[in-house]
Amino acid sequence: MSISTVATGDEISEAEIPLLNDEDVVAGSLDFKGRPAVRAKSGSWKSSPFIIGAGVAERISYHGISSNLVSYLSGSLGQPTATAAAELNAWSGTSSLLPILGGFVADSFTGRFRMITVSGVLYISVSFQINLHKLLNTLPHAISRSTLFHTDRLVRMIELDIIE
């Protein structure tokens, strides 16, 4: 099959026809600014690093949490192992089904980038809270009840002019 590269008069050769022309509008689609989406100017690979990066970070976080959740629930929170395993199963099922709800909300209301950002921030904040709780439980308590008692007693003694 040979393609002619020379156009004569009003004829346009097959090689000169663009694959995506500027008038090719995607029916019923809008770009991020609310304008009709033109195929040649919207989409492409510009957004892929953001989506792939969010997906990789989410998977790493998911597997990190799921591998330690039973020991955290049974150790730090003092739950029985059977209850901790049941909660791990509930958490895993919820994590698997929430993308369906997130996809519906993103397609209907918020848009994919805003939904990915909101869900990522929510995921990171929950992970941060779990880690902060674990960190605070492992640190030695700087202020114990006896320290507070002795400080309160010292303040009373100063108020009564027993100690200068």
Side-chain angles (χ1 to χ4, degrees), residues 1-163:
M1 173 174 168
S2 102
I3 298 175
S4 168
T5 57
V6 178
T8 57
D10 292 337
E11 295 178 23
I12 297 177
S13 69
E14 190 176 340
E16 294 175 330
I17 298 174
L19 295 175
L20 298 174
N21 52 11
D22 289 341
E23 295 84 32
D24 191 14
V25 177
V26 181
S29 295
L30 301 174
D31 66 2
F32 69 98
K33 292 184 179 178
R35 300 175 299 201
V38 177
R39 281 189 203 274
K41 296 179 181 173
S42 64
S44 75
W45 286 95
K46 289 185 266 183
S47 60
S48 65
F50 178 69
I51 294 172
I52 291 170
V56 167
E58 187 271 333
R59 288 287 93 194
I60 290 172
S61 178
Y62 172 83
H63 289 293
I65 291 172
S66 65
S67 63
N68 295 316
L69 191 58
V70 172
S71 61
Y72 171 72
L73 292 174
S74 60
S76 298
L77 297 181
Q79 293 182 349
T81 307
T83 305
E87 288 186 12
L88 172 65
N89 288 335
W91 178 79
S92 179
T94 303
S95 296
S96 297
L97 290 176
L98 274 179
I100 296 171
L101 176 65
F104 171 75
V105 171
D107 288 344
S108 301
F109 305 108
T110 63
R112 64 179 176 230
F113 299 116
R114 189 172 292 132
M115 192 64 191
I116 289 171
T117 303
V118 167
S119 62
V121 167
L122 179 66
Y123 210 93
I124 289 169
S125 65
V126 169
S127 298
F128 177 75
Q129 288 174 0
I130 289 172
N131 288 326
L132 183 64
H133 182 267
K134 182 66 176 172
L135 178 69
L136 292 177
N137 282 340
T138 57
L139 289 176
H141 294 287
I143 300 176
S144 63
R145 287 185 179 161
S146 62
T147 306
L148 290 175
F149 173 75
H150 291 301
T151 306
D152 187 41
R153 188 170 144 202
L154 183 63
V155 168
R156 284 188 201 149
M157 292 171 77
I158 291 172
E159 288 174 354
L160 296 174
D161 289 331
I162 298 173
I163 299 176

